Amino acid sequence: MKTRTLAIAIALTLAACGQPNETQAQDGVFAENRVVPGDALAMKSSFAPVVRTAAPAVVNISARGVQQVRDPFWGIPGQRQTGSVGSGVIVRSTGVVVTNNHVIAGMQQIRVTLNDRREFNARVVLADERSDIAVLQLEGVEERLPTLNIDDREEQQIGDLVLAIGNPFGVGQTVTNGIISALNRTETGISDSGSFIQTDAAINPGNSGGALVDMDGDLIGINTAIFSRSGSSSGVGFAVPASMVKRVVDSAVGGASAVVRPWLGVKGEGVSAEIARSLDMDRPQGLVVTEVWPNGPGARAGLRQGDVITAVDGAEINDQGGLNFRVGTRAPNETVQVTVLRDGSNQTLNARVQPLPGDVSTDNATVVRSGVLSGAQVLALNPALADSLGGDPFASGVIVGQVQRGSYANRVGVQGGDIILTVNGRAVTSVQQLADVGRGSELTINRRGQRLSGVIR
């Protein structure tokens, strides 16, 4: 079973549950009608009606691949068979299935088993590593398949009952229940989806790509990860919200080969207690704008440094990750409503979000031919390229691609992925500034998020 871990105080294990079928929400089943069971009879109520509706659209996924390896003793190259087991959800009756990207990444053969035990081969239509969502197309589908409705209205509340349906440990379709423990979880380190639904419904390895289902039988999230010391469920699971899932599915069904994420063109920091006091705010909430990209969507909408962004389309914003998520669920050229606190009063600005400027292609990279950086392939950063590499779109500098073995740049320790920030204290903004850099020059670089400075000898 394919899982991933994040080495912090506790392990982050990617896993997920299965997904329910397509049903329409019943009229009037919204926040104002939520009730707590009032007696023993109510406590005996069953989830079976929801499961009957949802379960037929939940699938098991088995993937196989070949990994290139090298014998550690003799150094002889070879191949090794790899495999992955996960879950998925049918979201289109023609056989479109959504799952986690990490379930199928690097795999050549994908086999999908339906709830009724029918089996289909599948091909990848779109794999979005950043959100950890992939879209598959079942092959040989000759009839309409059961589907699950993607509910992206975000009407969920903390405490709502949810079901997780999937294939834990490969034992077969399993249903677990719990509640929504938290919403809008950001800075988890799972992926840059940016905002997760947290649940205590049991999620285990093999559930990856499965569904988090509400009591209307709608898909509200794709279960993706758990915090656990043992690798098994300990009641802290995370799901990619349906709004991001729908964005990826719509891109795939629309024929796109990748998800184009727009941006607002602003950068900020979360409001601390100290900042809240200085602004006479009732509580720490929002994102203080520290930078605005010239002529970007935010600038054209009237955003400026010092504004406090408190909401986007009515959803509360508290950090950069939350802002990126809200904007990222929109299609390019869509308009979002940005609520800001400025000079003590709230204002609403309409911003038309746009794709990040610049080119993500590295085809125009230049090889430095002289000086101590000779042999390094370099390319000036732009917002689109920096973002595609998982960096800050506002970052400036020159990024190093490949470094020729035995070159001067290789001998002085320059590595692929390094971002050269300054030379002799001067900011680097173009490739031309790296020509003829001599010995004794001081370089400042960003290497995997760490800022390093040194003199080249």
Side-chain angles (χ1 to χ4, degrees), residues 362-380:
T362 58
D363 294 341
N364 296 324
T366 301
V367 177
V368 180
R369 301 295 182 185
S370 59
V372 295
L373 296 177
S374 61
Q377 187 184 57
V378 294
L379 185 68

Side-chain angles (χ1 to χ4, degrees), residues 26-357:
Q26 300 298 314
D27 292 340
V29 185
F30 295 112
E32 63 271 16
N33 292 339
R34 291 173 170 87
V35 294
V36 177
D39 51 40
L41 181 62
M43 291 294 291
K44 293 180 180 179
S45 297
S46 174
F47 295 117
V50 177
V51 176
R52 279 197 300 270
T53 302
V58 180
V59 301
N60 296 343
I61 296 175
S62 176
R64 296 289 179 266
V66 176
Q67 183 180 19
Q68 302 299 319
V69 297
R70 185 175 294 273
D71 185 277
F73 185 76
W74 299 106
I76 300 174
Q79 294 181 337
R80 181 176 64 188
Q81 296 289 327
T82 61
S84 173
V85 176
S87 306
V89 181
I90 306 172
V91 293
R92 296 288 190 278
S93 61
T94 53
V96 176
V97 173
V98 63
T99 185
N100 277 139
N101 178 67
H102 74 265
V103 171
I104 53 85
M107 300 295 159
Q108 286 79 48
Q109 297 178 339
I110 303 173
R111 191 73 171 168
V112 175
T113 304
L114 273 60
N115 177 257
D116 61 10
R117 304 182 69 178
R118 284 181 292 170
E119 295 186 1
F120 295 88
N121 290 325
R123 61 181 174 85
V124 179
V125 179
L126 190 155
D128 186 52
E129 183 178 358
R130 294 182 58 178
S131 65
D132 198 14
I133 295 295
V135 179
L136 313 178
Q137 174 63 58
L138 303 187
E139 298 178 338
V141 176
E142 297 179 352
E143 60 185 79
R144 293 176 64 86
L145 299 179
T147 61
L148 181 64
N149 180 55
I150 302 176
D151 183 0
D152 64 340
R153 294 173 298 176
E154 296 188 330
E155 295 175 337
Q156 298 81 33
Q157 295 183 11
I158 296 172
D160 280 355
L161 288 168
V162 290
L163 301 180
I165 310 177
N167 184 24
F169 302 109
V171 301
Q173 191 176 96
T174 302
V175 181
T176 57
N177 80 286
I179 64 169
I180 293 177
S181 307
L183 295 167
N184 303 318
R185 284 293 195 209
T186 58
E187 309 301 333
T188 59
I190 302 169
S191 75
D192 81 343
S193 172
S195 182
F196 292 86
I197 300 171
Q198 181 181 327
T199 179
D200 67 348
I203 300 170
N204 289 292
N207 287 134
S208 290
L212 192 66
V213 185
D214 65 13
M215 292 299 100
D216 291 327
D218 292 335
L219 175 69
I220 62 171
I222 292 293
N223 295 309
T224 298
I226 58 174
F227 278 128
S228 173
R229 291 185 174 90
S230 64
S232 298
S233 176
S234 56
V236 184
F238 298 96
V240 178
S243 54
M244 179 59 74
V245 175
K246 187 175 186 298
R247 178 82 174 87
V248 179
V249 170
D250 287 347
S251 297
V253 173
S257 59
V259 179
V260 178
R261 286 175 170 80
W263 77 328
L264 190 58
V266 299
K267 181 180 178 181
E269 61 178 279
V271 173
S272 64
E274 183 177 351
I275 293 175
R277 284 193 296 270
S278 69
L279 297 175
D280 291 328
M281 298 176 64
D282 295 334
R283 61 184 178 92
Q285 189 254 318
L287 182 79
V288 180
V289 176
T290 56
E291 295 184 58
V292 180
W293 190 263
N295 201 36
R300 292 195 296 271
L303 281 165
R304 58 196 190 204
Q305 289 184 2
D307 285 345
V308 178
I309 298 175
T310 57
V312 171
D313 289 334
E316 185 173 297
I317 300 297
N318 285 305
D319 51 34
Q320 188 72 47
L323 176 64
N324 294 344
F325 171 78
R326 289 296 163 193
V327 174
T329 61
R330 300 299 179 184
N333 299 315
E334 284 189 348
T335 298
V336 298
Q337 288 189 333
V338 184
T339 304
V340 300
L341 177 65
R342 177 186 296 170
D343 299 328
S345 62
N346 289 314
Q347 300 184 29
T348 299
L349 305 176
N350 293 318
R352 189 178 184 186
V353 296
Q354 300 286 336
L356 282 78

